[in-house]
Amino acid sequence: MLKILIATNNPHKAAELAQILPRLTAGGRAIEYLSLADFPAVPAPEETGLTLEENALIKAKAGRAATGLISIADDTGLLVDALDGAPGVHSGRYAYPDRTDYPANNEKLLKELKNISLEKRTARFKTVAAIILPDGQTATTEGIVEGKIAAEYSGTNGFGYDPLFIVTSLGKTMAQLTMEEKNKISHRALAFARMAEIIKKL
Ligand code: IMP
């Protein structure tokens, strides 16, 4: 049985990936997906990278170093055109430099976009997924979803910026989607669909 570590400390991401990955890789070699909840002593690495790709690799490498398992991780950013791509790689610590506070991040985003009309509030979620292969080689894939930043909150599902992110193709916020629906179209689902092709070849 192939064992793969999902190297995330974020319970929302872990729940999404626990649904996404087994489906995408089912039918091939039997795979057991473990999470960092199975290794509580593993410390979270500092996300010091300057890009989503660097941070995804930092997290996957830390998981690999701590467990010796094939490790996968993701780093995600919200890129808002009117803010020149911010908060981008700083999406987690947008409001405060030392911690992640979802409501404060959303309030800061609304404030920064206060005078920007809806048609100019275009944005995208971008996920970079990283894997450390059995021989230590690395690979990354990405997934992008296009949308707009709403002027008010809608929906209570999901996490982070989901209540403000209107998915262009659906006309609803990410937070108005069930996890099932989000996992069909999300940036994370797209990045890991591409990652599944790599996993299937292991
Ligand atoms: P991370 O560095 O990949 O953990 O993600 C940075 C931040 O992006 C998180 O703290 C969330 O605020 C936000 N984020 C990541 N993924 C999602 C998502 O699927 N929906 C909404 N916000 C997200």
Side-chain angles (χ1 to χ4, degrees):
M1 167 91 84
L2 190 63
K3 288 188 177 185
I4 298 182
L5 175 72
I6 301 173
T8 179
N9 288 300
N10 180 325
H12 301 282
K13 280 188 190 177
E16 290 182 10
L17 291 176
Q19 187 176 79
I20 291 168
L21 278 164
R23 282 186 190 171
L24 289 173
T25 51
R29 195 169 162 190
I31 299 172
E32 182 186 359
Y33 288 99
L34 298 135
S35 80
L36 285 177
D38 299 305
F39 300 93
V42 177
E46 285 283 319
E47 294 182 32
T48 52
L50 299 178
T51 62
L52 297 175
E53 185 171 9
E54 281 173 23
N55 279 337
L57 283 165
I58 285 171
K59 288 185 254 190
K61 282 179 183 164
R64 162 77 167 200
T67 65
L69 297 172
I70 299 166
S71 292
I72 53 178
D74 92 45
D75 201 56
T76 296
L78 175 66
L79 289 73
V80 181
D81 291 323
L83 303 176
D84 294 325
V89 74
H90 305 295
S91 294
R93 297 175 179 198
Y94 189 39
Y96 303 111
D98 57 344
R99 64 194 159 95
T100 296
D101 180 325
Y102 296 148
N105 286 344
N106 282 326
E107 283 299 303
K108 178 168 177 182
L109 184 60
L110 286 178
K111 207 167 137 210
E112 297 285 329
L113 293 174
K114 201 168 52 156
N115 298 315
I116 312 282
S117 63
L118 183 62
E119 67 267 24
K120 295 207 177 117
R121 295 166 78 120
T122 49
R124 57 205 52 78
F125 273 124
K126 179 173 170 183
T127 289
V128 176
I131 187 166
I132 314 298
L133 295 162
D135 62 1
Q137 297 267 20
T138 63
T140 58
T141 58
E142 67 177 53
I144 290 174
V145 174
E146 299 288 338
K148 279 187 179 158
I149 305 303
E152 54 197 42
Y153 301 101
S154 300
T156 53
N157 297 328
F159 69 101
Y161 299 98
D162 282 346
L164 289 178
F165 187 89
I166 303 169
V167 181
T168 302
S169 62
L170 300 175
K172 288 182 189 178
T173 69
M174 281 279 189
Q176 290 176 305
L177 307 181
T178 62
M179 199 205 295
E180 181 88 29
E181 289 168 332
K182 180 179 174 184
N183 284 344
K184 281 191 188 137
I185 57 98
S186 81
H187 40 293
R188 186 162 295 106
L190 290 171
F192 279 92
R194 293 175 179 138
M195 183 58 73
E197 297 308 310
I198 295 173
I199 293 172
K200 281 186 206 159
K201 291 188 192 130
L202 289 174

